[in-house]
Amino acid sequence: MMNSTIQTNIARLQIMKAKVLAALRKGENYELKTELNSEYKERRKEAVRRVIANMTVGKDVSGLFTDVLKNMHTDDLEIKKLIYLYLINYAKTQPDLVILAINTFVKDAEDTNPLIRALAIRTMGCLHVEEVLDYLCDPLHKCLKDTNPYVRKTAVMCVAKVYDLSVDVAEDNGFVESVREALSDSNSMVVSNAVSALVEMNDMSPHHDVWRLDANTVGKLLTAINECIEWGQIAILETLVDYTPRDEKEAENICERLLPRLQHANGSVVLTTVRLLLKYEKHVHRADLLAQFSKKMVPPLITLLSSDPEIQYVALRNINIILQRHPKLLSKEIRVFFCRYNDPIYVKYEKLDVLVRICSERNTEPLLNELKEYAKEVDMDFVSRAVQAISRLAIRYETAAEKAIKVLLELLETRANHIVQSCMVALQDILRRYPRCFDSLVDGLCEYVDDVNEPEARAALIWILGEYSESVTNISNILTSFLESFLEEEDSGVQLALINAAVKFFLKSPQQGQTLVLKALQTATEKCANPDVRDRAYIYWRLLSADPNAARAVALAEKPAIELENVDLSPQLLEELVNELGCVSSVLQKPARLFVYSLAEKAGVPRDSGISAMGLDDADSVAAGAGDGAGSSSAGIDASNEGEPELLISF
Amino acid sequence: MTVDSLFILNTSGTSVIQKHWCDDVSIRRASLVVVPAFTKYLRSFAAMHDAEPVWSAPLDTVCIHIQRKELVYLGIVSQEIPPLEVLELLEGVDQALTEYIGLLSEVTIKENFTTVYQLLSEMVDSGCAVTTDTSVLRGLVPVPSLVNRVIENVSGIGIGTEKRPDVNTSSTPWRAQGIRHTNNEFFVDIVEKIDAIVNSNGSVVSYDVSGDIGCKSRLSGMPDLLLALNRPEVMDDVAFHPCVRINKWENEGVIGFVPPDGQFKLASFHVATDASPRILPIYVHATTTRQELARTIELSAEVGQCGGRPIEKVQVRVPLPSQAYNIRVQCKAGTYTVSNGRTSQVEWFMKTLKAGDRSSRLVIQYFVRQSAVTNAVAGNSSPQAVSSDQDMAQEAFVDFEVAGYSVSSIKVDSLKLMRESYKLFKGVRYITKAGSFQVRF
């Protein structure tokens, strides 16, 4: 009884609530309607503001269309702009009602105030409604010939919008031709807008034949560019990317006229100019000019690095590409790339990459000291990348190896968990690169047996122990203790490393190693669940029992020298990215056809599967092929191993 | 078309204001899929500012964003365009809004949304940036004044329409015709910033000086100015305001320009590395000691080379490791604060630091948690061998200002006025500041 009363009450309450809400909702629009028709100007003005405010937060105010339109005829520019904004938003859903506004538009397009003329013509274009086109043609003609450049530049942009709606209307009325003529306008803003409009129309047209750059136009644009504001300069510079100079003389001339653009405060102007220089310098052969271009490019690139971090990031990604074309370009500026503690992490990663790339044999020492500082920072990913950079330097320059090892040993002494793991892997790579050069340090590494708790680091240490078993005093004990936890080991990489180490130890000192190797092989073949590990153990066992000399030849074979992993892009991709320097593709480092939908369709690229096919070397997938610790560390990929039997690779 | 959509989001990723230059499908795609995905992406970072500014988003779009104070400015693009262009545009939007509205926040943006929309539609036309120059924008969109707003709201009488903005169409788009001032003044501020990393032994790891020439112009008519500097050759990368005639600078080494009215940045420059003798205006020393679980850092600050002038607004910030607790500070000069965020830090302030001040010292003492130490020695029997740097503060960040001193010794030689005949009052100031100034322990 009680329950049902409560339930009916709740139901009643809910109905009431819904009604009130509906009334409120209806109420607001109703109230706005009254206000919009108020006799007081200020109340109407405030009402328009509220309508737009509601529109922007997503409330439906389309029902007020006619009431809003009534206020359109006003001297108040702010209100006019707001109403135009309203129209742009709802025109597509109510194209018939838009016709009601046409009269005001046409009248505004002849207003004495150039701002209002421009506003009217811009808005009519933005409405994107075909019904408007017929009414737009006359005012657009007039505005294209307007005495005021602000109106002309707006009209020029409007032509592109007309073209988008109907190519025929734009062509037949001679609008496109007017835009081409606007390239010779006396005002630079009109010129740069004409360039933007032509590029846009060219992209839309089916045969891309709206305009073609010729030497004459290029000359005109290069003159206009000096007068342009930054955005106009960008528009012009970007069109020049598609131009191929006729001869060397012309290329030289263009480059020299571009050089002053490097001194612009806007990073985009600078980077687009660098892109153009890199493109045109292919046609230039005079060594003194080329040297001058390179010299002029450096300071602005460096200056980009003192901008906001977001701009730094884009600059660094691009510098990384530029350096693959001009490896020596920034070698004197290495200190600029030193990481700052408060750089965002994405800037730090890019700087590390650039640092290793531009480091020459001469300045390895200061860089190694610097990397040591980074390795003490808090961010673990950054630390492991810094340590990796140390080993990359050592692998690249033999003279740096000793200092690198000293730094790594100092870092090991901190015994901070994540540092120890990265350092061990790094040491393995260096020892593998310079076999028999640093035997004396191996014994000291045994101190860290209990500290290596990452599988990769453990496999690295075990590999070192196996390789240098003769230099370690109590090798037998250490390997035995590793062997005791063999079955608890979760990572098969460590298990494989341990079997390999045991076999190497046995082959080098059969007396001491015999029990150990037997135990290792026995455990692996009888108790291990992983078939790879079992198979490896079987192979060794048979090899050892059938022919110890063959086993020696296999297990203790001279290993191919490891090289620095291939961090460069493939030449084909590099060429593509240099051409697109400064664009999204050069920042994401994948070609545009992989992420721009329309391009992808054209190129017939299967979505999402294209990346590896495009020649982006995926280091991990190559590394996964090699089982042994030396092969699977990220710095130790050796391409020459491909196609050889697996057992050989694995040592 | 460059940008499809522009969003201003608050830090939790909700849209405060949005504007689109694309078709309906793309608008829906942007607001229903891309922005939520982007918000999720931002949240996946422990510190939001670590999110990469260019992110390949779902549905073949790319999200380009900057973070400024409480707001995230996001541009969505779906074409192969230069991201720097979008970044510069977003930066320009932020600057223009700041100049129009003042302190930016979700609330102030919503309060002034009519102004924001007007600005956006002047700054971007069909997705292409048109202008970000506030002196141009001021001619197109009226600056909202609080007074206007209050009078309108209270009395219901509009005064906003009286002064109709006018377009400037001269060959100097940054300067309107017919400007009049009763006093003709021109001020130049040369502000130089030192970026440096100093090692524990006092050696300078990296050192870089860059500067800005800021101007404030209150001149009538169409003045043409010629600014000469004493050592233009040490400026190895100069970026100018569009008003500067670059050819004149290239050929004669002087800066010729018709200035915009009001405040503007005339040039920014970088001092050639081989021309700057690595002068440090301030020395900060630190000695660190450890005793069992206690860690002590003794900091001292001293005036370096700065032309004998006092150093002002000195601030030394020391981030402490996450294991630090029970932080105690002894301060012999100035004041300090200890803040406890995700990690703690100590900040030390001194209004002025004069040459010969011996007493400017600060001692920080804290303890590290037992567990942190035992973790570091896990498995090691001898705790004495621990020399982990992880629980010791690593560096200090120093901020300071020296008025009347130019570290690069760049000075204004002369400032000449042409084309106008009135008398001009000139003022030049030099300031040297810390940029990113880091001292390692």
Side-chain angles (χ1 to χ4, degrees):
Chain A
M1 188 63 191
M2 274 275 278
N3 265 347
S4 69
T5 340
I6 292 172
Q7 268 167 9
T8 34
N9 277 343
I10 289 176
R12 250 184 235 150
L13 271 176
Q14 272 169 349
I15 292 167
M16 267 169 67
K17 193 177 155 198
K19 271 185 185 166
V20 169
L21 279 178
L24 274 179
R25 242 180 258 131
K26 185 182 159 201
E28 184 167 16
N29 271 0
Y30 183 75
E31 190 196 322
L32 280 173
K33 201 181 175 84
T34 337
E35 292 286 299
L36 283 169
N37 291 307
S38 160
E39 55 189 303
Y40 301 107
K41 200 174 142 201
E42 273 318 302
R43 297 181 71 167
R44 295 205 301 269
K45 187 171 174 178
E46 197 46 45
V48 171
R49 281 206 190 112
R50 275 172 59 198
V51 169
I52 308 297
N54 283 350
M55 181 182 93
T56 53
V57 293
K59 288 184 193 160
D60 184 14
V61 282
S62 59
L64 298 167
F65 205 90
T66 44
D67 303 288
V68 173
L69 275 194
K70 280 180 201 157
N71 290 287
M72 195 172 156
H73 191 70
T74 169
D75 289 338
D76 190 324
L77 201 58
E78 183 191 339
I79 292 304
K80 208 179 249 311
K81 282 182 184 168
L82 289 181
I83 294 178
Y84 282 3
L85 198 71
Y86 178 89
L87 281 175
I88 294 172
N89 209 18
Y90 287 116
K92 269 163 266 175
T93 50
Q94 314 209 3
D96 307 336
L97 288 175
V98 172
I99 304 300
L100 297 174
I102 289 294
N103 269 335
T104 320
F105 276 126
V106 174
K107 220 169 126 253
D108 280 355
E110 297 187 0
D111 198 282
T112 49
N113 183 343
L115 266 185
I116 295 188
R117 293 205 293 279
L119 182 64
I121 212 77
R122 184 169 70 204
T123 313
M124 281 170 94
C126 287
L127 290 177
H128 218 266
V129 174
E130 276 183 54
E131 283 83 345
V132 178
L133 271 184
D134 295 341
Y135 305 90
L136 176 60
C137 289
D138 274 348
L140 186 55
H141 269 302
K142 281 185 200 148
C143 286
L144 281 167
K145 303 259 175 308
D146 203 288
T147 50
N148 187 305
Y150 180 78
V151 179
R152 288 206 300 278
K153 79 157 191 148
T154 313
V156 163
M157 286 306 276
C158 186
V159 172
K161 291 166 195 158
V162 171
Y163 192 93
D164 187 23
L165 272 179
S166 158
V167 177
D168 292 338
V169 171
E171 295 274 6
D172 297 347
N173 285 287
F175 290 144
V176 180
E177 194 47 45
S178 304
V179 180
R180 283 192 205 110
E181 281 165 20
L183 286 176
S184 318
D185 198 287
S186 58
N187 184 292
S188 59
M189 243 181 348
V190 180
V191 177
S192 66
N193 270 23
V195 168
S196 304
L198 284 171
V199 169
E200 204 174 311
M201 289 190 281
N202 208 28
D203 286 346
M204 284 187 266
S205 69
H207 305 295
H208 303 291
D209 53 358
V210 173
W211 82 318
R212 188 161 288 262
L213 269 178
D214 54 36
N216 190 12
T217 327
V218 170
K220 255 190 248 168
L221 293 182
L222 283 171
T223 313
I225 205 170
N226 292 319
E227 306 273 307
C228 281
I229 60 161
E230 50 200 323
W231 303 106
Q233 297 193 1
I234 293 173
I236 293 178
L237 289 172
E238 273 169 25
T239 49
L240 292 180
V241 172
D242 297 324
Y243 180 68
T244 315
R246 286 164 306 172
D247 51 36
E248 188 172 343
K249 200 76 219 145
E250 193 187 4
E252 283 174 12
N253 182 23
I254 295 178
C255 285
E256 285 192 11
R257 291 175 76 175
L258 284 174
L259 286 179
R261 298 278 81 72
L262 289 172
Q263 294 199 318
H264 203 287
N266 185 311
S268 194
V269 175
V270 171
L271 207 54
T272 314
T273 309
V274 171
R275 174 185 181 191
L276 284 172
L277 286 174
L278 288 179
K279 183 185 157 79
Y280 287 132
E281 73 176 11
K282 274 186 268 175
H283 303 273
V284 177
H285 301 291
R286 272 175 56 192
D288 58 326
L289 278 184
L290 289 174
Q292 189 201 353
F293 298 161
S294 297
K295 195 167 159 246
K296 288 253 181 182
M297 265 189 266
V298 175
L301 285 176
I302 299 296
T303 303
L304 284 179
L305 294 178
S306 45
S307 333
D308 292 317
E310 294 91 354
I311 291 177
Q312 282 188 49
Y313 171 74
V314 175
L316 283 164
R317 295 287 283 185
N318 283 295
I319 286 174
N320 222 322
I321 292 175
I322 297 171
L323 284 173
Q324 296 184 35
R325 179 58 75 72
H326 288 285
K328 297 255 178 315
L329 192 68
L330 298 171
S331 46
K332 283 191 191 140
E333 312 287 342
I334 191 160
R335 282 168 191 275
V336 182
F337 296 94
F338 282 3
C339 299
R340 296 179 182 284
Y341 182 84
N342 42 357
D343 280 338
I345 197 74
Y346 54 82
V347 168
K348 285 185 180 170
Y349 287 168
E350 294 305 318
K351 281 188 174 171
L352 262 189
D353 258 14
V354 173
L355 279 174
V356 175
R357 195 179 278 286
I358 64 178
C359 181
S360 67
E361 194 155 3
R362 251 177 337 104
N363 44 25
T364 46
E365 176 126 7
L367 182 54
L368 284 170
N369 282 330
E370 186 67 15
L371 290 170
K372 186 178 146 196
E373 293 291 331
Y374 302 162
K376 292 178 188 166
E377 282 195 21
V378 190
D379 188 297
M380 292 197 194
D381 274 342
F382 182 59
V383 168
S384 78
R385 287 201 198 203
V387 173
Q388 209 177 53
I390 295 177
S391 79
R392 278 169 66 185
L393 280 180
I395 290 170
R396 191 150 132 219
Y397 299 116
E398 193 169 351
T399 47
E402 201 162 324
K403 169 82 184 169
I405 286 192
K406 192 169 155 257
V407 168
L408 288 174
L409 290 178
E410 281 167 18
L411 285 173
L412 271 178
E413 276 171 28
T414 64
R415 288 194 186 254
N417 189 19
H418 58 290
I419 299 186
V420 172
Q421 314 305 321
S422 319
C423 285
M424 202 53 85
V425 177
L427 276 172
Q428 175 199 17
D429 289 334
I430 301 177
L431 288 174
R432 162 115 202 235
R433 171 73 179 78
Y434 305 107
R436 307 286 140 218
C437 294
F438 301 100
D439 295 23
S440 53
L441 70 92
V442 175
D443 200 25
L445 293 181
C446 300
E447 253 185 66
Y448 302 99
V449 163
D450 295 322
D451 292 322
V452 284
N453 39 30
E454 294 279 329
E456 204 189 348
R458 203 153 49 233
L461 179 59
I462 294 172
W463 181 87
I464 296 174
L465 292 174
E467 197 67 13
Y468 293 87
S469 57
E470 62 277 14
S471 323
V472 184
T473 39
N474 56 346
I475 175 81
S476 178
N477 289 344
I478 296 172
L479 286 181
T480 312
S481 73
F482 271 120
L483 205 53
E484 271 159 17
S485 56
F486 185 86
L487 290 172
E488 287 98 73
E489 192 62 64
E490 279 162 17
D491 189 276
S492 61
V494 182
Q495 291 175 327
L496 290 172
L498 197 48
I499 297 175
N500 293 337
V503 172
K504 285 184 207 164
F505 175 44
F506 166 70
L507 289 169
K508 284 181 194 166
S509 36
Q511 295 291 319
Q512 296 155 280
Q514 193 160 19
T515 41
L516 186 79
V517 77
L518 259 178
K519 194 176 169 210
L521 294 178
Q522 217 158 19
T523 323
T525 47
E526 285 169 11
K527 296 186 186 144
C528 184
N530 185 315
D532 285 344
V533 178
R534 253 189 349 251
D535 283 357
R536 178 79 61 91
Y538 275 125
I539 291 173
Y540 276 132
W541 204 327
R542 279 173 202 153
L543 210 52
L544 287 172
S545 49
D547 184 356
N549 280 332
R552 198 178 300 273
V554 171
L556 301 179
E558 184 125 326
K559 282 160 280 297
I562 61 165
E563 286 159 20
L564 203 57
E565 91 267 35
N566 194 15
V567 285
D568 286 355
L569 303 160
S570 70
Q572 175 206 354
L573 181 66
L574 178 64
E575 182 64 32
E576 226 173 299
L577 293 184
V578 169
N579 283 335
E580 303 286 321
L581 196 79
C583 288
V584 174
S585 57
S586 69
V587 175
L588 300 176
Q589 302 205 340
K590 56 182 180 183
R593 58 176 181 279
L594 289 182
F595 60 90
V596 178
Y597 188 64
S598 54
L599 290 179
E601 271 185 322
K602 226 176 284 163
V605 178
R607 318 254 59 219
D608 296 324
S609 62
I611 296 178
S612 53
M614 290 341 297
L616 287 170
D617 294 326
D618 188 345
D620 288 339
S621 72
V622 180
D628 186 281
S632 62
S633 77
S634 52
I637 299 146
D638 185 5
S640 69
N641 275 339
E642 271 176 297
E644 290 187 27
E646 209 232 346
L647 196 64
L648 281 177
I649 310 170
S650 60
F651 283 85
Chain B
M1 190 181 306
T2 314
V3 192
D4 287 355
S5 311
L6 192 151
F7 286 81
I8 300 179
L9 310 171
N10 62 16
T11 37
S12 57
T14 326
S15 158
V16 179
I17 225 160
Q18 47 184 287
K19 190 153 171 64
H20 305 272
W21 297 275
C22 52
D23 57 68
D24 283 355
V25 181
S26 309
I27 294 179
R28 247 170 273 144
R29 176 181 71 182
S31 44
L32 296 179
V33 181
V34 181
V35 171
F38 174 73
T39 312
K40 212 170 151 193
Y41 167 70
L42 278 190
R43 288 203 189 125
S44 68
F45 289 87
M48 209 168 81
H49 67 260
D50 278 338
E52 280 175 25
V54 182
W55 179 60
S56 178
L59 302 181
D60 299 308
T61 54
V62 177
C63 287
I64 300 175
H65 84 282
I66 60 172
Q67 299 173 19
R68 295 288 176 272
K69 299 200 186 74
E70 292 176 34
L71 299 169
V72 179
Y73 297 82
L74 166 69
I76 298 178
V77 302
S78 58
Q79 270 173 325
E80 174 74 328
I81 50 105
L84 264 193
E85 202 178 321
V86 183
L87 288 173
E88 296 272 8
L89 171 67
L90 297 176
E91 179 69 42
V93 170
D94 180 60
Q95 276 169 13
L97 293 186
T98 312
E99 196 167 323
Y100 267 77
I101 299 175
L103 195 62
L104 289 184
S105 70
E106 189 177 349
V107 178
T108 50
I109 291 224
K110 279 191 171 153
E111 272 171 3
N112 292 286
F113 79 95
T114 53
T115 309
V116 177
Y117 269 112
Q118 290 185 63
L119 281 173
L120 285 179
S121 45
E122 291 300 339
M123 295 174 87
V124 189
D125 190 358
S126 58
C128 297
V130 182
T131 181
T132 44
D133 190 341
T134 43
S135 54
V136 175
L137 288 171
R138 268 198 297 267
L140 301 168
V141 181
V143 180
S145 80
L146 189 66
V147 187
N148 284 2
R149 258 322 195 7
V150 171
I151 295 176
E152 270 180 38
N153 288 343
V154 173
S155 67
I157 305 164
I159 53 164
T161 51
E162 280 158 27
K163 202 179 143 216
R164 184 187 264 183
D166 199 10
V167 235
N168 168 17
T169 55
S170 62
S171 61
T172 52
W174 56 88
R175 189 177 178 90
Q177 302 278 350
I179 295 175
R180 286 270 157 268
H181 291 287
T182 39
N183 296 321
N184 289 297
E185 307 165 320
F186 194 84
F187 300 100
V188 182
D189 278 353
I190 299 193
V191 181
E192 292 177 344
K193 274 190 192 159
I194 306 177
D195 288 346
I197 303 177
V198 184
N199 253 348
S200 48
N201 58 5
S203 64
V204 182
V205 179
S206 85
Y207 187 88
D208 207 48
V209 177
S210 56
D212 286 336
I213 305 181
C215 297
K216 188 174 173 189
S217 162
R218 296 171 59 79
L219 299 175
S220 313
M222 269 295 161
D224 202 333
L225 296 173
L226 211 55
L227 179 78
L229 300 168
N230 63 339
R231 323 167 51 192
E233 69 282 355
V234 301
M235 299 156 76
D236 75 345
D237 178 34
V238 197
F240 289 112
H241 188 276
C243 68
V244 175
R245 295 183 196 92
I246 289 182
N247 286 338
K248 193 157 186 83
W249 165 260
E250 289 276 283
N251 299 332
E252 302 165 35
V254 289
I255 308 175
F257 58 103
V258 176
D261 201 42
Q263 266 187 354
F264 66 99
K265 187 159 103 180
L266 180 67
S268 56
F269 59 89
H270 178 259
V271 179
T273 4
D274 38 357
S276 50
R278 300 195 162 205
I279 295 170
L280 296 180
I282 187 169
Y283 299 128
V284 175
H285 303 283
T287 38
T288 56
T289 45
R290 50 178 87 231
Q291 194 174 32
E292 290 176 17
L293 295 175
R295 304 282 178 271
T296 313
I297 305 156
E298 277 189 66
L299 286 170
S300 66
E302 237 180 279
V303 175
Q305 287 167 271
C306 55
R309 297 187 176 267
I311 304 179
E312 292 161 44
K313 299 182 189 166
V314 180
Q315 182 195 340
V316 181
R317 185 165 62 84
V318 184
L320 298 181
S322 52
Q323 306 95 324
Y325 76 107
N326 199 1
I327 301 155
R328 275 180 289 174
V329 182
Q330 292 172 342
C331 180
K332 301 235 174 75
T335 55
Y336 69 90
T337 59
V338 180
S339 58
N340 295 302
R342 202 154 52 95
T343 53
S344 316
Q345 61 175 16
V346 177
E347 281 181 282
W348 179 26
F349 308 94
M350 279 175 286
K351 264 190 194 146
T352 51
L353 181 68
K354 294 197 188 78
D357 277 358
R358 288 265 160 238
S359 56
S360 0
R361 286 178 185 284
L362 182 87
V363 181
I364 306 172
Q365 194 182 44
Y366 62 88
F367 291 87
V368 287
R369 289 176 221 290
Q370 180 79 45
S371 63
V373 177
T374 42
N375 274 352
V377 249
N380 192 337
S381 51
S382 55
Q384 289 83 354
V386 186
S387 65
S388 166
D389 288 332
Q390 298 294 309
D391 55 24
M392 184 51 101
Q394 302 281 334
E395 56 245 292
F397 298 93
V398 187
D399 210 5
F400 59 84
E401 234 181 83
V402 189
Y405 173 66
S406 147
V407 65
S408 64
S409 63
I410 291 175
K411 294 255 153 68
V412 172
D413 256 359
S414 66
L415 178 68
K416 284 187 200 129
L417 171 72
M418 282 166 303
R419 269 215 279 184
E420 297 284 345
S421 53
Y422 48 75
K423 202 160 161 20
L424 158 74
F425 178 80
K426 302 172 245 190
V428 185
R429 280 194 302 186
Y430 303 94
I431 300 174
T432 295
K433 284 183 178 180
S436 162
F437 198 100
Q438 181 180 340
V439 178
R440 289 177 179 157
F441 297 166

